[in-house]
Amino acid sequence: MSAKVLINGYGSIGKRVADAVAVQDDMEVIGVSKTKPDFEARLAVEKGYKLFVAVPDRERIKLFEEAGIPVEGTILDVIEEADIVVDGAPKKIGKQNLENIYKPNKVKAILQGGEKAKDVEDSFNALWSFDRCYGKDYIRVVSCNTTGLCRILYAINEVSNIKKARVVLVRRAADPNDDKTGPINAITPNPVTVPSHHGPDVVSVVPELEGKILTSAVIVPTTLMHQHTLMVEVDDNISREDVLDSILKTPRIITVKAEDGFTSTAKIIEYGRDIGRLRYDINELVIWEESVNVLDREIFLMQAVHQESIVVPENIDCIRAMLQMEDDKFKSIEKTNKAMGIK
Ligand code: NAD
């Protein structure tokens, strides 16, 4: 029987998760929700999704009707049918939805990385915490930056125990659909305090790294991807080839070479366009092969994270773990990847 998934908040993450659920053979989208009757709401209906008003306010149904967008009711009219809700609402609203809608209606829910670790039972990354989240009710899929860091730290930890990790994150200023956020002519330390919150966020998934990971971050005027520079000290005297081997064995990581023309995040996104990925999504973490180096038990490397799509396959595996649909994380990852065409 296929799992019934409701997507509450059909924005950048929500619409991608809906499409990813729709291509799996063991789950189905029973509805998506929007607060406003805009072009995204219209497109959702044209794609064949049942549309609901995201907030439990029946007055809002009229707004959709007036805009000529068929709507099936509010979120409360469908919630009972759902086995699980994937919340795609803006930062901090997910927590409100958890308390006001999901818990009172006793439905399992996945929140996104804009919410705090303390507000849910656990934090999810398919490689690290699939087993811990198995059968749980309220879980957070960590942010795009944290997901990227969790994947590479898993690959490194498979070769040698991590003693210390130092990471500098260069964050995109805004998503491509965002016409409000900046900066457009500055590099902004954000947060200006060091360490940044990204280290503790990784620890919410990998408690073994408590006290061992330190991050700092800046925001730059780009919309395409984040970029990270990592310096990771390990216990053993490993080689560059050992690290590259492990990267290649780890699911959802790909390597690219500047020599092949992948000289920037712009070129990686161009690759996404050229291979015909929907919305040019690059769900894989991307490592620049030339950047991987090991000096005296310290690994250096540079990576790129497509913020809008890296967390999408994680949401699918999180659904399988929480609904106990598959108990082997690697089987779930493989199934998700195959259905989504992830390398
Ligand atoms: P978004 O603004 O693109 O989409 C949010 C959607 O939620 C919109 O469609 C909006 O209409 C809807 N919404 C508004 N109020 C709502 C409510 N009360 N209930 C349900 N839906 C409501 O946001 P996004 O970028 O998709 O971010 C969603 C979550 O994912 C946030 O927690 C964010 O931090 C996290 N996240 C975002 C990215 C990214 O790069 N965009 C990456 C990883 C994680």
Side-chain angles (χ1 to χ4, degrees), residues 8-13 34-35 54-55 88-91 93 97 112-114 144 172 175 307-308 311:
N8 192 24
Y10 189 76
S12 300
I13 300 299
K34 286 287 296 174
T35 46
V55 285
K91 198 173 174 174
I93 308 270
N97 286 342
Q112 304 302 320
C144 44
R172 62 90 182 91
D175 283 346
Q307 75 278 359
E308 297 166 287
V311 300

Side-chain angles (χ1 to χ4, degrees), residues 143-160:
S143 76
C144 44
N145 281 305
T146 305
T147 298
L149 289 174
C150 286
R151 285 193 197 155
I152 188 63
L153 293 171
Y154 183 92
I156 292 173
N157 197 58
E158 286 291 288
V159 193
S160 180

Side-chain angles (χ1 to χ4, degrees), residues 161-166 203 208-214:
N161 184 50
I162 295 170
K163 264 172 80 175
K164 197 191 212 184
R166 300 288 180 254
V203 171
E208 304 92 288
L209 289 177
E210 174 87 60
K212 296 182 183 173
I213 179 164
L214 193 141

Side-chain angles (χ1 to χ4, degrees), residues 8-15 33-36 38 40 54-56 75 87-94 96-97 101-102 111-115 141-145 172 175 177 226 306-311:
N8 192 24
Y10 189 76
S12 300
I13 300 299
K15 64 171 102 164
S33 78
K34 286 287 296 174
T35 46
K36 292 189 203 109
D38 59 9
E40 286 176 314
V55 285
I75 192 77
D87 185 282
K91 198 173 174 174
K92 295 184 182 161
I93 308 270
Q96 290 172 24
N97 286 342
I101 301 179
Y102 313 141
L111 304 190
Q112 304 302 320
E115 309 305 323
V141 168
V142 289
S143 76
C144 44
N145 281 305
R172 62 90 182 91
D175 283 346
N177 69 352
H226 303 295
H306 184 225
Q307 75 278 359
E308 297 166 287
S309 69
I310 192 170
V311 300

Side-chain angles (χ1 to χ4, degrees), residues 15-311:
K15 64 171 102 164
R16 287 174 168 83
V17 174
D19 292 347
V21 168
V23 295
Q24 311 297 319
D25 64 12
D26 56 351
M27 51 186 84
E28 64 184 291
V29 180
I30 59 161
V32 303
S33 78
K34 286 287 296 174
T35 46
K36 292 189 203 109
D38 59 9
F39 73 93
E40 286 176 314
R42 196 181 302 279
L43 282 174
V45 175
E46 282 174 17
K47 273 193 153 201
Y49 296 129
K50 284 187 178 169
L51 183 66
F52 295 84
V53 180
V55 285
D57 172 4
R58 300 205 76 79
E59 288 298 302
R60 284 204 152 247
I61 294 175
K62 273 193 225 137
L63 295 179
F64 284 77
E65 285 170 352
E66 280 162 19
I69 300 177
V71 68
E72 315 271 332
T74 79
I75 192 77
L76 294 186
D77 295 317
V78 64
I79 198 115
E80 273 187 13
E81 279 177 48
D83 295 319
I84 192 161
V85 182
V86 177
D87 185 282
K91 198 173 174 174
K92 295 184 182 161
I93 308 270
K95 187 202 166 186
Q96 290 172 24
N97 286 342
L98 177 65
E99 299 305 330
N100 301 336
I101 301 179
Y102 313 141
K103 283 185 179 172
N105 284 284
K106 297 189 172 39
V107 62
K108 289 184 185 245
I110 298 176
L111 304 190
Q112 304 302 320
E115 309 305 323
K116 295 209 164 75
K118 67 173 176 54
D119 294 325
V120 285
E121 289 169 278
D122 211 331
S123 293
F124 185 86
N125 171 264
L127 291 165
W128 286 101
S129 58
F130 187 97
D131 297 344
R132 264 175 20 221
C133 295
Y134 200 75
K136 294 263 165 68
D137 292 333
Y138 308 115
I139 295 293
R140 177 184 72 124
V141 168
V142 289
S143 76
C144 44
N145 281 305
T146 305
T147 298
L149 289 174
C150 286
R151 285 193 197 155
I152 188 63
L153 293 171
Y154 183 92
I156 292 173
N157 197 58
E158 286 291 288
V159 193
S160 180
N161 184 50
I162 295 170
K163 264 172 80 175
K164 197 191 212 184
R166 300 288 180 254
V167 185
V168 179
L169 297 94
V170 179
R171 301 164 62 193
R172 62 90 182 91
D175 283 346
N177 69 352
D178 184 348
D179 51 13
K180 294 195 184 79
T181 316
I184 58 166
N185 67 341
I187 298 171
T188 313
N190 187 303
V192 72
T193 47
V194 180
S196 72
H197 60 274
H198 303 94
D201 209 39
V202 170
V203 171
S204 74
V205 179
V206 192
E208 304 92 288
L209 289 177
E210 174 87 60
K212 296 182 183 173
I213 179 164
L214 193 141
T215 54
S216 78
V218 296
I219 296 182
V220 299
T222 182
T223 59
L224 299 179
M225 297 180 99
H226 303 295
Q227 187 274 345
H228 303 160
T229 300
L230 285 88
M231 288 141 275
V232 183
E233 286 180 35
V234 292
D235 282 345
D236 305 302
N237 195 10
I238 56 165
S239 69
R240 172 176 190 267
E241 284 62 42
D242 294 332
V243 179
L244 279 169
D245 267 4
S246 185
I247 285 172
L248 289 178
K249 280 186 201 135
T250 307
R252 296 183 186 151
I253 308 187
I254 54 171
T255 58
V256 296
K257 288 186 194 168
E259 193 188 290
D260 280 345
F262 289 102
T263 46
S264 66
T265 51
K267 300 294 188 193
I268 296 170
I269 292 297
E270 189 63 5
Y271 174 71
R273 291 192 178 109
D274 283 346
I275 62 171
R277 286 277 178 90
L278 185 61
R279 305 184 180 97
Y280 65 70
D281 285 352
I282 305 280
N283 307 92
E284 301 87 347
L285 173 68
V286 184
I287 313 278
W288 274 283
E289 196 172 315
E290 292 98 329
S291 75
V292 179
N293 201 356
V294 184
L295 293 173
D296 194 16
R297 296 171 201 245
E298 186 168 10
I299 301 162
F300 299 84
L301 63 83
M302 288 192 250
Q303 64 185 28
V305 171
H306 184 225
Q307 75 278 359
E308 297 166 287
S309 69
I310 192 170
V311 300

